[in-house]
Amino acid sequence: MINRLATLIKFGIVGVMNTAVDALVFTMLAALGTPALIAQVISYSCGVLNSYWWNGRWTFRDARRQGPNNELLRFVITNLIVLALSSLILLLSNHILGWNLVISKAAATLLGMILNYIASRYWVFRAVSATAAYPSTDANERSVS
């Protein structure tokens, strides 16, 4: 229980760092006149790089995980989906609903954070069970009790 709480706190700290990176890059690009969707893709990508680095090396460092290739593929898939959904929220809230760009970005970021946590916790950085990590050599072996 304490380990899960520590992991959640670390994930939250990394999330705050990612959000800061994303917001800073987005703000700089928007101030330079970059269209919102292009700024979103670039800023989100910067946050994603930060996220993968810190979550892989700090947040989930101690977990017996599924291996870097599967993990990286799942991470990329997750973040492409979250990027698409958060970009859609940004576009709809800003251009269709007429919300302020900052409010639209905040809504897109909040949705992205929630989805990213769920996917990271239960799919991307999930720990494999000890039996999956060290499978029995005989698939038909049964325990006798």
Side-chain angles (χ1 to χ4, degrees):
M1 181 70 172
I2 293 175
N3 286 341
R4 282 194 180 190
L5 181 59
T7 299
L8 182 60
I9 291 169
K10 287 178 181 181
F11 191 87
I13 291 168
V14 171
V16 169
M17 291 187 318
N18 300 338
T19 302
V21 167
D22 182 9
L24 180 65
V25 172
F26 184 84
T27 301
M28 290 185 331
L29 291 172
L32 293 172
T34 305
L37 284 178
I38 293 172
Q40 170 70 0
V41 169
I42 293 169
S43 67
Y44 185 84
S45 298
C46 291
V48 164
L49 290 173
N50 186 68
S51 175
Y52 187 73
W53 175 262
W54 285 105
N55 280 320
R57 283 167 181 72
W58 183 52
T59 307
F60 300 102
R61 174 185 65 198
D62 297 330
R64 181 184 303 126
R65 301 191 327 240
Q66 57 203 339
N69 292 337
N70 287 337
E71 188 175 273
L72 180 59
L73 179 61
R74 290 173 187 228
F75 186 83
V76 168
I77 290 169
T78 295
N79 280 284
L80 287 174
I81 292 168
V82 172
L83 172 61
L85 292 174
S86 64
S87 296
L88 181 63
I89 295 299
L90 178 69
L91 180 68
L92 291 174
S93 60
N94 185 245
H95 292 290
I96 306 299
L97 298 177
W99 294 2
N100 176 292
L101 186 59
V102 173
I103 300 296
S104 298
K105 176 63 177 169
T109 299
L110 180 61
L111 173 69
M113 287 169 52
I114 293 167
L115 294 175
N116 204 329
Y117 174 77
I118 292 167
S120 292
R121 171 70 175 87
Y122 295 103
W123 192 55
V124 176
F125 295 107
R126 76 167 189 242
V128 294
S129 68
T131 56
Y134 304 106
S136 171
T137 56
D138 184 2
N140 295 322
E141 185 177 293
R142 296 177 190 227
S143 67
V144 179
S145 36

